[in-house]
Amino acid sequence: MLHDRILVSLEGEPGERRSGGGIVIPATASVGKRLSWGEVVATGPNVRQVQMGDRVLFDPADRAEVELHSKDYVLLRERDLHAVAAPRVEDGQTGLYL
C-alpha cells in the first residue's frame, strides 16, 4: 500500500437485511444514501489514525474496487473515512471515533 491508502474488506454481502424491529428489507428495496462498514486489512505508511483490524465507515460511492486472490476489496484514502471503530482503545472508552 502506498501513501495514505487503506485496503478494506467488505462485511457481508449486499442482500436482505433486517431493521431494528425485525422487518426483513429485501435487496431490491430502494434506500437513500447509505454508508458501509468494512474491516481494514492493509494500510499505507502515511496512515495515522487507522490500524489493521479496525472497522471503518465509508461512503460506497467514493470507492475503488480491487480483486485480490478471488476476493473483493475496496481501496480508500484515509481522508475518505467517516468513522473508525477501534477495538484497541482503553477500558471505559467507546472505541468509535467520528
Side-chain angles (χ1 to χ4, degrees):
M1 301 300 302
L2 297 174
H3 310 295
D4 67 339
R5 301 291 198 257
I6 299 170
L7 191 65
V8 176
S9 174
L10 296 177
E11 295 179 356
E13 295 295 321
E16 288 185 351
R17 59 185 191 279
R18 290 192 180 270
S19 70
I23 298 172
V24 175
I25 303 170
T28 57
S30 177
V31 294
K33 188 173 181 179
R34 185 178 180 96
L35 299 177
S36 296
W37 285 99
E39 182 179 349
V40 176
V41 294
T43 61
N46 297 337
V47 174
R48 296 177 290 168
Q49 302 293 322
V50 180
Q51 295 179 4
M52 288 177 48
D54 289 350
R55 292 179 63 228
V56 293
L57 186 65
F58 63 94
D59 185 353
D62 299 333
R63 67 182 186 179
E65 294 185 12
V66 179
E67 184 177 337
L68 297 170
H69 304 290
S70 301
K71 187 170 180 186
D72 291 327
Y73 296 95
V74 176
L75 185 63
L76 301 166
R77 286 181 173 242
E78 185 177 22
R79 68 179 181 207
D80 294 334
L81 300 178
H82 294 276
V84 178
R88 66 182 178 277
V89 297
E90 298 175 14
D91 291 336
Q93 303 291 328
T94 62
L96 182 63
Y97 299 93
L98 300 176

